[in-house]
Amino acid sequence: MLFDIRQETLPREDLEALQLRRLRDLCGRIHANVPFYRKRFEEAGISPASINSLADLRLLPFTEKQDLRDYYPFGLFAVPRDHIVRLHASSGTTGKAVVVGYTARDLDHWAEVMARSMAAAGVNHADVVHVAYGYGLFTGGLGAHYGAERVGATVVPASGGATRRQAHLLRDFGATVLCATPSYALHLWEAARETGVDFATLPLRVGIFGAEPWSEGMRRDIEEKMGITAINIYGLSEIMGPGVASECAEARQGMHLWEDHFLPEIIDPVTGEQLPPGEVGELVLTTLTKEGIPLLRYRTRDLTSLDYTPCRCGRTHVRIGRIQGRSDDMLIIRGVNVFPQQIEGILMESEGLSPNYQIIVDRVDNLDTLEVHVEMDENLFADEIRKLQMLEKRLQKNIKEFLGVTARVRLAEPRSIERSEGKARRIVDKRPRD
Ligand code: AMP
Ligand code: ZN
């Protein structure tokens, strides 16, 4: 189902003409209203008038997370504070929070792209949408909320936490759609079992999951356990929140990125050069319509690729591949680069393991050590010790073979790894910072 047939199927030529018009307008606005950008333009020896085609994008300066931190809280806003009707903030794991502000029009656009994402997942006005993303400064809850309302669905603003109660609400209100981080969705499923709510008897049919990395293996696990179709949704607070890109139920091969609002590029994270479609690199996004805090060539740190080939759903907007990791989540273990998701992928190939895992990195005698703790399900847990030891060995061998690092794998008892109400904490890095 398309929410806005005209925009979502705009021929590429028209889409690019629209992008160029909006890009030029954006450059004019930020040059006039944000001293930070005016200075950047001057340093690069360009003016808004230098932008005459989309290819000229590469002349423009990048924006980084650190810039938002340096200008904390409102220094990059492009409108007076009294035009801002909402603030959100992303705490992140390191450093100062990043603050974003929305005008009324920004909120309208956000609801629009989120509604497109919901509709692409197959959600319509007849659905009951249970939102278990956190409500608050985090963009997840309110983002999903207004999108679902725009579609005309019945929204249950559950937020995160009180997980057993949520399981009862799912059943009592007859939720057909669940929005959550994939790790919290699994936590909810476990809590439901404990409190006697059987997912198989619920009308739930779609899950819209994102805000953290997850693998195809985890998708399969969730779909099997919950008996639903799991959809991948992407977004980040700096750019808007959830709904920047989302999968269509028809193909589920990449997430359509709403190109009339966000202009994507993939760059080599080291050289900053643009990479051609299909190649994996860092996603860079320019907000084409944002008024509160427009960002030029924002370096997301998320690694993915672009696919411009036609999608069978008929939407013309480019698709981004599953996020393969964040360049700042990359672990360097004795010189070898490893992403948590690669480890997750290997774990999820084995029967009996749950996607609850933690990666513990430490340094012993000046050498990095890598330990992977992964939970077993009850069946596997009941197995003979000897078999479990063999499985640990096999996983260690696979990690060595596929990723080139030595890891110690420890199978953990069911429910022994800490659950999160939002994004899961996958990495515990105990190495001293030097
Ligand atoms: P936040 O600033 O809290 O909105 O978090 C945004 C970040 O969450 C993104 O930059 C990604 O690293 C991550 N993220 C969001 N959606 C997904 C997704 N579907 N898959 C993987 N990572 C995601
Ligand atoms: Zn599609």
Side-chain angles (χ1 to χ4, degrees), residues 216-357:
E216 280 302 325
M218 186 156 173
R219 160 138 71 188
R220 277 194 301 276
D221 187 67
I222 289 179
E223 292 194 327
E224 256 168 48
K225 283 179 171 151
M226 301 191 187
I228 60 172
T229 301
I231 296 281
N232 194 7
I233 187 165
Y234 171 79
L236 64 168
S237 11
E238 297 91 312
I239 295 299
M240 184 73 104
V244 171
S246 205
E247 279 179 337
C248 58
E250 294 90 336
R252 292 205 292 159
Q253 273 170 10
M255 300 177 271
H256 289 284
L257 187 134
W258 307 118
E259 279 188 88
D260 48 340
H261 293 285
F262 315 108
L263 181 58
E265 303 165 74
I266 297 290
I267 62 161
D268 177 323
V270 179
T271 65
E273 291 298 317
Q274 283 183 350
L275 295 175
E279 279 191 35
V280 174
E282 180 180 339
L283 177 66
V284 170
L285 292 170
T286 295
T287 64
L288 292 173
T289 51
K290 211 129 97 0
E291 296 177 332
I293 176 165
L295 295 179
L296 198 56
R297 303 192 82 198
Y298 182 70
R299 294 189 58 161
T300 66
R301 304 280 161 197
D302 292 320
L303 302 173
T304 182
S305 57
L306 296 175
D307 180 359
Y308 287 94
T309 60
C311 182
R312 82 168 90 108
C313 71
R315 290 176 183 82
T316 49
H317 295 231
V318 68
R319 286 174 284 165
I320 58 170
R322 185 177 279 283
I323 305 295
Q324 303 196 357
R326 285 181 59 80
S327 50
D328 39 15
D329 259 4
M330 188 177 75
L331 293 166
I332 306 181
I333 309 292
R334 276 167 263 147
V336 182
N337 301 346
V338 184
F339 287 102
Q341 260 174 299
Q342 294 178 307
I343 294 180
E344 180 181 312
I346 292 172
L347 298 176
M348 293 317 323
E349 280 166 15
S350 288
E351 282 282 307
L353 297 183
S354 84
N356 295 305
Y357 67 95

Side-chain angles (χ1 to χ4, degrees), residues 73-269:
F74 305 150
L76 295 188
F77 286 14
V79 297
R81 215 270 309 126
D82 64 346
H83 292 206
I84 298 288
V85 297
R86 171 103 64 81
L87 294 172
H88 278 286
S90 152
S91 58
T93 40
T94 49
K96 246 189 209 167
V98 158
V99 180
V100 288
Y102 304 73
T103 64
R105 196 155 161 262
D106 291 337
L107 290 183
D108 184 54
H109 285 153
W110 188 10
E112 155 81 24
V113 292
M114 199 57 214
R116 285 186 202 170
S117 303
M118 294 256 173
V123 178
N124 65 43
H125 65 93
D127 278 301
V128 176
V129 179
H130 183 106
V131 180
Y133 285 116
Y135 280 64
L137 286 174
F138 173 56
T139 51
L142 288 165
H145 183 102
Y146 284 103
E149 275 192 4
R150 176 80 42 111
V151 166
T154 308
V155 187
V156 184
S159 193
T163 308
R164 286 184 172 208
R165 179 160 166 262
Q166 289 211 32
H168 291 152
L169 293 184
L170 271 181
R171 179 194 59 200
D172 299 347
F173 297 170
T176 51
V177 180
L178 172 63
C179 301
T181 59
S183 57
Y184 189 66
L186 276 173
H187 181 31
L188 191 50
W189 175 81
E190 285 170 345
R193 281 211 312 177
E194 284 165 11
T195 181
V197 174
D198 178 4
F199 264 63
T201 64
L202 302 182
L204 199 66
R205 59 183 180 82
V206 179
I208 302 182
F209 303 132
E212 67 181 3
W214 56 312
S215 60
E216 280 302 325
M218 186 156 173
R219 160 138 71 188
R220 277 194 301 276
D221 187 67
I222 289 179
E223 292 194 327
E224 256 168 48
K225 283 179 171 151
M226 301 191 187
I228 60 172
T229 301
I231 296 281
N232 194 7
I233 187 165
Y234 171 79
L236 64 168
S237 11
E238 297 91 312
I239 295 299
M240 184 73 104
V244 171
S246 205
E247 279 179 337
C248 58
E250 294 90 336
R252 292 205 292 159
Q253 273 170 10
M255 300 177 271
H256 289 284
L257 187 134
W258 307 118
E259 279 188 88
D260 48 340
H261 293 285
F262 315 108
L263 181 58
E265 303 165 74
I266 297 290
I267 62 161
D268 177 323

